[in-house]
Amino acid sequence: MNDTRCREFFLEPRETYQRQYEALRAFFVEGRPLNEIARQFGYQESSLNVMISNFRDQVKANNLRPFLFSRGSDGHKGNPIS
């Protein structure tokens, strides 16, 4: 079975929340360099630094947000991203 498209789903995410998740995972779990992660997921290093800082703050405040749900303009969880 050819799983190329399945692999691409994880390696080349298109949805914003999935890209954020994968970029943070690459930094915190895989320990990859910022420039490499930024290039792969289409971020500037400065933006990625802000995302990492915000994530650390959320963890510290025990205020983690699900990545696979869209957020409304009021910040509340919306529908699952499909």
Side-chain angles (χ1 to χ4, degrees), residues 7-21:
R7 287 177 45 82
E8 287 173 356
F9 176 83
F10 294 101
L11 296 175
E12 300 171 16
R14 291 180 177 89
E15 297 290 339
T16 301
Y17 289 97
Q18 184 186 3
R19 278 190 12 250
Q20 291 172 347
Y21 171 89

Side-chain angles (χ1 to χ4, degrees), residues 62-78:
N62 198 25
N63 185 25
L64 292 176
R65 300 180 185 137
F67 285 94
L68 297 179
F69 289 88
S70 62
R71 293 260 170 200
S73 59
D74 61 357
H76 287 87
K77 185 169 69 171

Side-chain angles (χ1 to χ4, degrees), residues 27-69:
F27 180 80
F28 287 106
V29 176
E30 298 173 16
R32 291 173 45 200
L34 283 179
N35 64 337
E36 181 182 300
I37 298 166
R39 186 173 48 249
Q40 179 180 355
F41 296 106
Y43 291 109
Q44 292 185 5
E45 284 187 54
S46 59
S47 298
L48 189 54
N49 267 321
V50 170
M51 188 185 333
I52 289 166
S53 177
N54 288 343
F55 183 75
R56 284 181 171 138
D57 290 343
Q58 289 173 4
V59 169
K60 188 184 295 183
N62 198 25
N63 185 25
L64 292 176
R65 300 180 185 137
F67 285 94
L68 297 179
F69 289 88

